[in-house]
Amino acid sequence: MRKLILAASALALMSGAALATEVDGTVAKFNPAVRVITLTNGESFTIPRDVAIPPQLAPGKRVAIDQHDNGAKIESVMVGAAS
């Protein structure tokens, strides 16, 4: 029974990690009124109110957007160097 519980726990942990993704790109435009980031590749992301948006976010900046649950939940936004 203990082995079964350990195996199920390990599987659950691996499954959770597989659901998290990170999207990297360059910001084409940012609309702070509705919290929408559009990347140069055309992808757009609406950032929830409970997720902080870095003050240096601006067009031309590199950005990493962490998603969970197949993109259903944005967990963080990080800004990198300008491209």
Side-chain angles (χ1 to χ4, degrees):
M1 182 64 142
R2 180 176 266 180
K3 288 182 183 181
L4 179 62
I5 292 172
L6 289 174
S9 297
L11 181 61
L13 286 174
M14 289 188 299
S15 297
L19 295 177
T21 59
E22 181 176 284
V23 177
D24 294 315
T26 302
V27 177
K29 56 186 170 176
F30 172 55
N31 184 338
V34 291
R35 300 175 62 91
V36 173
I37 299 170
T38 303
L39 303 180
T40 55
N41 67 3
E43 288 183 280
S44 292
F45 301 90
T46 302
I47 310 304
R49 296 266 175 217
D50 64 338
V51 174
I53 295 177
Q56 66 270 32
L57 183 72
K61 293 281 190 172
R62 296 283 304 160
V63 68
I65 300 170
D66 287 328
Q67 301 178 354
H68 196 69
D69 295 335
N70 296 325
K73 168 96 172 91
I74 306 253
E75 294 188 339
S76 70
V77 177
M78 296 181 298
V79 174
S83 52

